[in-house]
């Protein structure tokens, strides 16, 4: 049987960082990823932060992937603006939260994981190969066993192999945690549910619309009626030539008031501010009814080609690389490109009746659970010779508008790599030596503190930002809170009291419909500006959204329902983002083919990831 | 060190939009895009397997016009070959399979500076009118054991033997899988159903490394490419090209275009309702109606 020092299970941002760091510490490690290639299984919002903290060391992305990360990595935009929009119908009240975003931040980029993690993988495997390690994709780890002092890794695709230690970076629905009973499944109380669509929008239009320069980006958060009465909110991040529009809701809140995830997205899109943000000029073809069927089809195919040319040219014209069109020699200057675009547009319109209307273009629909670290981080993120990192360890920061998982996973990865490297050097993989040391390193992380207690400075900053909003005049019930906010002394006392009581006691107060829905709606109603949309977006149906996804089907289901009659499973009929569940008689039945592996049904099922290379293949993530 | 050769063939790309015909209905070779033949690609995969499993060195050879270089490049991506050989000379024109085999034999004998090749892989056959004889004839000329239709193989490097599985399908009989052991050197034609399986961690890692190496190598194919003419191959002009081809093509039958006896109806898929009758028809067909 082959033997290796370290196996990292899971090639998301956390696992790849662990591989890079271990290899840079001159240790040999292999990484096993179930997806057919890196990046196809990972979903984020997402903003990748680099942070600093006076009270402790944070290991950031640039510490792992090089100080030239910001200039070399395929990141989207440097987030410079951070705005919170309170919504109520067509009334929007916006608060500039940029100081909150800047708090303890070195930099933050919007990212698409299927663009970024393959780059991580390239650097990590380059380092790993120097020490005989590397990345293996398309392999699903199905079991771990300890036999005769050996840790044996079993997969669906390869011969068993032995390892001396494991880093479990297999995400929120960690099978390694289940197989080893290192932790129970996360309960709906402990996690958030995220759903997102990627929207196409030409680069220059993004810059013009959001008032950005060519590398800058902005983040927009939404709370109020768009939540359909749930605890959580929406987000819109500008990428280079796309937008990430999504929503995150406390899973418990969705369970008590079930709604289809795609409807949560639709609700965002219908908001006039958002529909104006995503608006683009889109082609609308007519049916050519007068023609014979055969001719209709011919015209259809011909027009498709012309529309494709039009779109490609238009996207290039509106991109920052538009001068390449001139360099290629096809055009003399940008004016010529513009007139070519106009002439195709004219042809499409005059000859084929194609109209150009305001609408928007969705590229990808995705969904995933997110750990709320303050509720579910593993107190002991290790088991025997296995160290858990990132989402697998339930580690993520979820506080108010803050969602941070990527940076936390990277910080964990470095700590795990340091601990394992020490074990290799001293040839001691005993859980007391390896696991406890890793635990102590993780406990030193400022992120762990952030997941354990309220950061008074952060909250203070937030309260400073909202203190001038005349909330008392809006609703007298808020006056007491307002007094506390306005008075620094009272603020300090109440924060200390809150920390004394602990997160668990005060969470129901902070994370409630009141904070996420009612207060924002009140603000918008009383103080907001009216925003009207100039068009009605035609929103794809869920079947359209699913049809646009790519899968490699497995005839065998990776999920088995425990109790087909349970109330929980009945709720999944609505809550599964791709409607995999339906009712047959009294039984909830599963059709696994459309599964996007979000993990929402995992509490009521025997839940595994699909076998290697099978299942969803995200193109953006 | 195991030395492996792959004989590949540049073939017309018959896919839509790439193939072009003359007015008399024959293939217009000059206008038709050429690619590495699908059977040749499978042979390259087998060579790559030898590289990953047994650390083999791979040399690829093909007879053809200078444009065959593109197929050699494609073969290098698949096999991570250390050597690419193009056998190109006007005197090869008009060669039948036997004359081709003569060129290939001399080519193979010159690979790796004349170091003896242990296994020669070739595709099952070509898709543009070759009859599957080049492989066996080259094997015969080389004096190598010939193994056809191989679907799986392992090599014992110490004993210098190959264990191979080959499919034998005879009309009217069950398909047989024959297991054979043969001393090296051998000439293997690979069955299209062959798949390389790497099922240990080290094999996967090695395969990744070689794939990376291959993608670096193709950035500068010229460095690996040798173009050999008849002279360099020390070929006897009487044995190659037209003079070396005993096959006499005395007439070419134009294959009459088959009359279509199928009725086609175009269905517009943009309207889902149009699909219902299609499904009904499919159900009827599946029920044998
Ligand atoms: C909608 C949404 C918005 C978010 N926004 C942000 C944000 O703005 N900023 C931020 O920092 N974070 C954000 N997050 C959180 C962040 O995306 C995650 O914390 C992060 O992606 C987790 O990385 P990971 O490597 O731990 O896990 P994952 O990315 O889930 O990777 C786990 C990997 O393990 C593989 N795997 C699983 N099981 C096996 C197995 N048995 N064998 C082999 N391979 C296996 C999977 O295929 C997968 O590739 C957001 C998350 C969501 C869903
Ligand atoms: S079946 Fe379960 S894991 Fe799959 S998409 Fe539906 S809820 Fe998510």
């Amino acid at each position: 049987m082959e033997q290796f020092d370290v196996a990292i299970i899971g090639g998301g941002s956390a696992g790849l960082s662990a591989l890079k760091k271990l290899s840079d510490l001159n240790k040999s490690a292999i990484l096993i990823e179930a997806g057919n290639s890196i990046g196809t299984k990972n979903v984020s919002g997402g903003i990748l932060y680099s942070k600093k903290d006076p009270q402790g060391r944070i290991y950031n992305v640039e510490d792992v992937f090089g100080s030239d990360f910001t200039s070399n990595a395929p990141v989207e935009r440097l987030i410079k603006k951070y705005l919170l929009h309170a919504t109520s119908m067509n009334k929007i009240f916006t608060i500039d939260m940029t100081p909150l975003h800047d708090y303890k931040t070195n930099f933050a980029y919007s990212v698409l994981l299927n663009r970024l993690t393959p780059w991580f993988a390239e650097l990590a495997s380059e380092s790993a190969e120097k020490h005989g390690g590397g990345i293996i994709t398309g392999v699903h780890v199905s079991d771990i066993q300890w036999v005769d002092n050996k840790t044996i890794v079993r997969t669906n695709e390869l011969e068993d192999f032995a390892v001396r230690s494991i880093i479990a970076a297999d995400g929120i629905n960690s099978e390694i945690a289940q197989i080893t009973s290192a932790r129970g499944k996360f309960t709906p109380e402990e996690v958030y549910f995220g759903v997102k669509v990627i929207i196409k929008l030409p680069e220059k239009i993004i810059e013009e619309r959001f008032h950005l320069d060519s590398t800058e980006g902005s983040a927009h958060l939404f709370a109020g009626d768009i939540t359909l009465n749930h605890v959580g909110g929406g987000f819109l991040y500008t990428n280079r030539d796309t937008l990430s529009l999504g929503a995150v809701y406390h899973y418990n809140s969705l369970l008590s008031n079930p709604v289809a995830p795609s409807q949560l997205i639709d609700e965002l899109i219908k908001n006039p501010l958002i529909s104006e943000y995503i608006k683009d000029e889109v082609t609308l073809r007519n049916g050519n009814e007068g023609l014979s069927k055969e001719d209709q089809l011919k015209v259809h195919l011909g027009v498709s080609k012309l529309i494709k040319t039009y779109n490609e040219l238009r996207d290039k014209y509106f991109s920052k690389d538009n001068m390449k069109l001139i360099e290629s020699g096809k055009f003399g200057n940008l004016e010529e490109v513009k007139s070519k675009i106009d002439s195709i547009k004219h042809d499409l319109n005059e000859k084929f009746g194609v109209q150009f209307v305001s609408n928007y273009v969705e590229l990808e629909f995705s969904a995933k659970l997110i750990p709320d670290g303050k509720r579910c981080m593993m107190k002991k993120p290790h088991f025997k010779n296995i160290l858990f990192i990132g989402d697998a360890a339930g580690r993520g920061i979820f506080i108010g508008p803050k969602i941070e998982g990527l940076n936390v996973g990277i910080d964990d990865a470095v700590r795990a790599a340091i601990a394992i490297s020490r074990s290799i050097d001293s040839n001691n993989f005993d859980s007391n030596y390896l696991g406890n040391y890793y635990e102590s390193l993780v406990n030193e992380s400022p992120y762990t503190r952030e997941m354990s207690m309220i950061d008074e400075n952060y909250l203070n900053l937030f309260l400073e930002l909202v203190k001038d909003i005349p909330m008392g005049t809006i609703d007298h019930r808020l006056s007491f809170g307002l007094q506390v906010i306005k008075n620094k002394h009272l603020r300090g006392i109440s924060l200390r009291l809150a920390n004394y009581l602990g997160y668990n006691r005060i969470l129901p107060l902070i994370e409630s419909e009141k904070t996420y829905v009612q207060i924002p709606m009140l603000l918008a109603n009383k103080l907001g500006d009216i925003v009207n949309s100039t068009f009605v977006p035609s929103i794809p149906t869920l079947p359209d959204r699913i049809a646009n996804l790519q899968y490699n089907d497995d005839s065998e289901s990776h999920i088995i329902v425990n109790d087909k009659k349970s109330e929980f499973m009945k709720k999944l009929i609505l809550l599964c983002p791709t409607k995999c569940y339906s009712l047959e008689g009294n039984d909830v039945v599963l059709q696994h083919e459309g599964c996007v592996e979000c993990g929402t049904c995992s509490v009521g099922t025997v839940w595994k990831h699909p076998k290697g290379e099978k299942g969803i293949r995200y193109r953006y993530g | 060190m195991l030395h492996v050769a792959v004989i590949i063939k540049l073939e017309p790309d018959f896919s839509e939009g790439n193939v072009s015909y003359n007015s008399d209905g024959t293939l217009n070779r000059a206008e038709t895009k050429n690619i590495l033949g699908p059977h040749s690609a499978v042979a390259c995969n087998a060579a790559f397997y030898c590289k990953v499993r047994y650390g083999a060195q791979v040399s690829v050879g093909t007879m053809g016009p200078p444009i065959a270089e593109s197929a050699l490049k494609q073969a290098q991506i698949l096999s991570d070959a250390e050597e690419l050989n193009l056998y190109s000379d006007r005197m090869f024109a008009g060669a039948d399979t036997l004359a081709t085999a003569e060129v290939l034999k001399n080519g193979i004998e010159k690979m790796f500076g004349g170091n003896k090749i242990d296994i020669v892989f070739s595709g099952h056959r070509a898709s543009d009118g070759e009859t599957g004889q080049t492989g066996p004839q080259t094997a015969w000329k080389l004096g190598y054991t010939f193994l056809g239709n191989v679907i799986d193989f392992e090599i014992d490097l110490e004993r210098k033997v190959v264990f191979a599985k080959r499919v034998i399908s005879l009309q009217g009989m069950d398909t047989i899988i024959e297991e054979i052991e043969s001393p090296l050197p051998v000439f293997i034609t690979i069955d299209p159903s062959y798949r390389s399986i790497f099922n240990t961690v080290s094999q996967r890692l090695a395969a990744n490394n070689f794939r990376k190496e291959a993608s670096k190598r193709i950035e500068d194919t010229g460095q690996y490419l040798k173009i050999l003419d008849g002279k360099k191959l020390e070929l006897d002009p009487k044995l190659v090209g037209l003079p070396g081809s005993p096959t006499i093509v005395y007439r070419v039958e134009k294959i009459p275009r088959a009359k279509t006896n199928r009725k086609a109806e175009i269905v517009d898929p943009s309207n889902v309702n149009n699909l219902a009758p299609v499904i009904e028809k499919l159900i009827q067909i599946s029920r044998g109606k």
Side-chain angles (χ1 to χ4, degrees):
Chain A
M1 188 182 293
E2 294 187 332
Q3 165 130 8
F4 301 89
D5 279 345
V6 196
I8 298 160
I9 301 169
S13 47
L16 292 165
S17 303
L19 179 66
K20 176 75 167 69
K21 183 66 194 178
L22 265 168
S23 309
D24 289 347
L25 292 168
N26 297 322
K27 301 297 182 285
S28 169
I30 52 166
L31 182 149
I32 311 279
E33 163 59 37
N36 72 314
S37 62
I38 293 291
T40 53
K41 298 281 184 189
N42 315 97
V43 181
S44 188
I47 301 180
L48 170 58
Y49 280 90
S50 165
K51 294 271 188 168
K52 57 188 166 213
D53 196 304
Q55 293 187 42
R57 170 94 208 242
I58 290 176
Y59 298 100
N60 282 310
V61 63
E62 69 276 21
D63 299 321
V64 180
F65 292 98
S67 52
D68 49 359
F69 169 82
T70 52
S71 45
N72 288 348
V75 285
E76 301 296 314
R77 289 174 183 274
L78 182 65
I79 299 298
K80 288 281 195 156
K81 261 189 269 177
Y82 193 72
L83 306 173
L84 175 65
H85 306 281
T87 69
S88 179
M89 311 278 281
N90 64 345
K91 291 188 113 184
I92 316 280
F93 180 70
T94 300
I95 310 166
D96 187 346
M97 295 268 177
T98 308
L100 271 192
H101 164 81
D102 290 341
Y103 177 67
K104 292 186 179 171
T105 297
N106 299 318
F107 59 78
Y109 280 96
S110 55
V111 298
L112 289 170
L113 287 186
N114 201 2
R115 283 185 183 164
L116 181 66
T117 51
W119 184 82
F120 281 176
E122 207 180 299
L123 297 198
S125 63
E126 212 169 86
S127 283
E129 279 155 20
K130 289 184 196 145
H131 308 288
I135 296 174
I136 298 171
T137 55
V139 172
H140 172 250
V141 174
S142 55
D143 201 6
I144 312 276
Q145 291 191 346
W146 285 269
V147 183
D148 301 336
N149 277 333
K150 270 194 177 153
T151 307
I152 296 167
V153 179
R154 199 149 280 174
T155 68
N156 294 112
E157 294 78 14
L158 303 178
E159 285 176 13
D160 294 354
F161 56 93
V163 293
R164 297 210 285 171
S165 57
I166 290 175
I167 293 180
D170 52 340
I172 183 155
N173 304 301
S174 169
E175 279 164 70
I176 308 305
Q178 301 312 307
I179 292 165
T180 57
S181 307
R183 64 161 166 84
K185 276 185 190 168
F186 292 136
T187 62
E189 172 59 23
E190 293 173 322
V191 295
Y192 271 67
F193 170 84
V195 56
K196 185 177 92 161
V197 286
I198 300 289
I199 290 168
K200 179 172 178 278
L201 199 60
E203 221 170 325
K204 299 259 178 196
I205 296 183
I206 292 181
E207 281 147 28
E208 209 179 284
R209 186 163 303 160
F210 293 88
H211 312 291
L212 304 166
D213 83 12
S214 70
T215 53
E216 283 177 358
S218 55
H220 302 256
L221 306 164
F222 302 88
D225 63 346
I226 53 99
T227 65
L228 294 177
N229 245 331
H230 294 93
V231 174
F235 61 84
L236 183 151
Y237 304 144
T238 56
N239 302 320
R240 189 171 56 79
D241 53 2
T242 57
L243 302 174
S244 293
L245 176 69
V248 283
Y249 293 107
H250 192 207
Y251 190 1
N252 244 355
S253 158
L254 288 172
L255 270 182
S256 53
N257 173 14
V259 54
S262 74
Q263 199 190 331
L264 292 167
I265 292 282
D266 298 351
E267 209 51 37
L268 284 169
I269 292 168
K270 284 187 219 151
N271 179 277
L273 178 66
I274 298 178
S275 51
E276 282 302 298
Y277 276 154
I278 65 177
K279 181 170 81 176
D280 196 8
E281 188 186 77
V282 174
T283 50
L284 183 72
R285 355 174 22 142
N286 77 4
N288 294 310
E289 270 82 23
L291 302 175
S292 73
K293 276 197 171 165
E294 210 163 318
D295 285 343
Q296 274 184 30
L297 199 65
K298 276 187 198 155
V299 170
H300 187 88
L301 294 175
V303 171
S304 297
K305 200 168 173 196
L306 205 55
I307 289 179
K308 195 172 160 224
T309 314
Y310 171 79
N311 282 333
E312 281 171 3
L313 200 59
R314 179 173 179 265
D315 288 350
K316 275 190 200 141
Y317 175 76
F318 280 120
S319 83
K320 74 166 175 286
D321 296 331
N322 55 11
M323 287 316 282
K324 283 198 181 141
L325 288 167
I326 318 299
E327 287 155 23
S328 73
K330 282 192 197 142
F331 299 93
N333 52 44
L334 284 177
E335 291 298 299
E336 274 180 32
V337 184
K338 179 79 177 66
S339 60
K340 177 74 188 170
I341 294 170
D342 289 341
S343 100
I344 304 178
K345 185 172 172 178
H346 183 261
D347 279 359
L348 278 167
N349 185 255
E350 293 287 308
K351 292 189 190 152
F352 303 107
V354 174
Q355 292 170 44
F356 292 80
V357 297
S358 289
N359 203 358
Y360 80 104
V361 182
E362 267 184 32
L363 297 173
E364 184 171 87
F365 174 78
S366 58
K368 187 111 176 177
L369 290 184
I370 318 166
D372 178 0
K374 60 188 183 294
R375 290 175 159 111
C376 72
M377 68 168 160
M378 286 170 83
K379 298 281 172 299
K380 216 172 138 237
H382 56 98
F383 179 84
K384 293 194 176 179
N385 50 353
I386 305 181
L387 310 182
F388 290 83
I389 66 171
D391 278 15
R395 291 171 58 78
I397 298 170
F398 234 104
I399 297 156
K402 209 176 192 183
I403 314 174
E404 293 177 23
L406 297 166
N407 49 334
V408 176
I410 292 171
D411 181 67
D412 291 349
V414 173
R415 293 171 196 275
I418 292 171
I420 287 189
S421 170
R422 170 176 170 264
S423 279
I424 293 173
D425 289 341
S426 49
N427 195 21
N428 185 352
F429 293 87
D430 194 81
S431 127
N432 289 329
Y433 188 77
L434 171 62
N436 289 352
Y437 181 55
Y438 171 60
E439 188 180 327
S440 71
L441 291 180
V442 162
N443 286 338
E444 281 168 16
S445 170
Y447 290 143
T448 306
R449 190 164 20 86
E450 220 174 319
M451 284 179 256
S452 321
M453 56 197 294
I454 296 168
D455 179 345
E456 290 182 20
N457 294 330
Y458 182 80
L459 204 62
N460 259 327
L461 201 59
F462 175 77
L463 297 176
E464 273 301 310
L465 290 172
V466 296
K467 79 172 193 307
D468 295 330
I469 300 170
M471 278 188 266
T473 55
I474 297 166
D475 182 355
H476 64 275
R477 285 167 301 174
L478 296 174
S479 334
F480 172 69
L482 203 70
Q483 291 311 314
V484 176
I485 288 172
K486 289 209 159 137
N487 184 314
K488 275 202 173 149
H489 181 62
L490 277 180
R491 222 193 277 170
I493 294 176
S494 42
L495 280 175
R496 251 162 279 145
L497 178 70
N499 268 335
Y500 171 74
L501 289 172
Y503 251 138
N504 288 346
R505 297 254 181 81
I506 56 157
L507 275 177
L509 289 176
I510 310 175
E511 299 194 342
S512 64
E513 278 90 358
K514 188 158 189 161
T515 32
Y516 284 91
V517 189
Q518 290 150 12
I519 296 178
M521 282 177 71
L522 273 173
L523 282 174
N525 271 329
K526 294 277 164 94
L527 304 171
D529 294 328
I530 291 178
V531 177
N532 286 318
S533 179
T534 51
F535 75 111
V536 181
S538 68
I539 301 175
T541 61
L542 181 61
D544 285 341
R545 283 178 171 148
I546 298 170
N548 206 13
L549 292 171
Q550 287 179 0
Y551 295 94
N552 179 14
D553 284 340
D554 189 354
S555 52
E556 210 180 316
S557 175
H558 55 288
I559 300 171
I560 302 165
V561 178
N562 289 334
D563 178 0
K564 294 181 176 176
K565 296 187 181 0
S566 75
E567 283 309 306
F568 175 79
M569 289 315 297
K570 285 191 181 140
K571 291 193 174 159
L572 258 298
I573 296 172
L574 204 55
L575 286 179
C576 169
T578 45
K579 289 244 174 299
C580 295
Y581 291 99
S582 56
L583 206 58
E584 259 182 37
N586 246 341
D587 286 354
V588 177
V589 291
L590 164 71
Q591 256 185 311
H592 70 280
E593 287 82 359
C595 173
V596 288
E597 299 156 36
C598 65
T600 309
C601 62
S602 101
V603 187
T605 58
V606 178
W607 202 98
K608 293 192 169 121
H609 294 85
K611 293 192 215 75
E613 297 193 353
K614 300 290 183 189
I616 185 73
R617 289 183 177 175
Y618 284 124
R619 284 164 298 153
Y620 296 89
Chain B
M1 164 78 71
L2 190 71
H3 288 101
V4 165
V6 195
I7 300 306
I8 62 155
K9 194 159 190 297
L10 182 73
E11 290 174 22
D13 182 356
F14 286 112
S15 64
E16 199 185 321
N18 292 322
V19 66
S20 159
Y21 292 97
N22 297 317
S23 51
D24 63 354
T26 54
L27 186 71
N28 180 345
R29 285 190 183 260
E31 288 285 307
T32 299
K33 215 179 121 192
N34 285 293
I35 51 162
L36 179 73
H39 295 285
S40 297
V42 183
C44 290
N45 290 340
F48 185 70
Y49 179 78
C50 292
K51 173 160 268 212
V52 174
R53 288 296 311 276
Y54 311 109
Q57 291 230 304
V58 178
S59 179
V60 179
T62 188
M63 186 184 99
I67 45 159
E69 220 183 294
S70 67
L72 282 168
K73 202 168 184 164
Q74 288 169 33
Q76 193 172 32
I77 300 178
L78 296 176
S79 65
D80 185 30
E82 344 326 272
E83 201 181 84
L84 304 173
N85 303 280
L86 177 60
Y87 313 128
S88 197
D89 197 319
R90 283 215 185 124
M91 72 194 265
F92 302 161
D96 68 359
T97 54
L98 195 68
T100 305
E102 181 67 16
V103 175
L104 295 178
K105 180 204 80 175
N106 279 29
I108 291 164
E109 284 174 348
K110 299 231 166 323
M111 282 175 172
F112 295 122
N115 228 327
K116 197 168 172 88
I117 294 292
D118 300 292
I119 308 178
V120 182
F121 290 104
S122 86
H124 176 61
R125 60 179 178 78
S127 48
D128 64 337
E130 193 228 322
T131 45
Q133 297 169 75
T134 316
Q137 286 171 345
T138 313
W140 167 70
K141 285 190 179 237
L142 283 164
Y144 281 26
T145 308
F146 177 78
L147 307 175
N149 299 78
V150 169
I151 53 165
D152 190 16
F153 63 91
E154 298 293 327
I155 296 159
D156 184 334
L157 284 176
E158 255 172 43
R159 284 177 55 218
K160 289 220 141 216
V161 288
V162 59
F163 306 94
K165 284 187 191 159
R166 47 190 239 113
V167 273
I168 300 173
S169 343
L170 295 171
Q171 240 179 359
M173 285 171 61
D174 285 343
T175 300
I176 298 166
I177 295 184
E178 193 179 61
E179 292 187 21
I180 25 181
E181 183 181 320
S182 161
L184 298 176
V186 289
F187 192 114
I188 289 178
T189 59
I190 285 283
D191 191 80
S193 65
Y194 168 84
R195 295 278 171 276
S196 311
I197 295 170
F198 302 117
N199 60 0
T200 68
V201 169
S202 329
Q203 285 169 22
R204 291 279 182 120
L205 291 177
N208 286 350
N209 290 341
F210 288 128
R211 275 190 204 113
K212 263 194 197 160
E213 186 176 70
S215 54
K216 280 214 184 92
R217 282 184 171 165
I218 58 144
E219 281 169 17
D220 185 15
T221 305
Q223 197 189 320
Y224 305 92
L225 180 68
K226 285 186 199 151
I227 301 176
L228 303 164
D229 57 11
K231 218 188 224 165
K232 282 194 191 136
L233 286 166
E234 296 175 87
L235 281 161
D236 178 347
K238 287 200 287 298
L239 297 179
V240 298
L242 260 186
S245 301
T247 316
I248 295 167
V249 180
Y250 73 98
R251 199 175 65 187
V252 178
E253 291 279 351
K254 256 215 289 195
I255 303 169
R257 261 199 174 188
K259 263 198 187 152
T260 26
N261 54 5
R262 289 172 301 175
K263 270 190 279 170
E265 201 182 310
I266 293 172
V267 177
D268 178 4
S270 60
N271 182 350
V272 181
N273 295 334
N274 291 348
L275 297 178
V278 180
I279 292 167
E280 244 158 56
K281 271 201 184 130
L282 285 174
I283 294 172
Q284 280 176 7
I285 292 167
S286 70
R287 287 183 181 149
K289 284 188 191 161

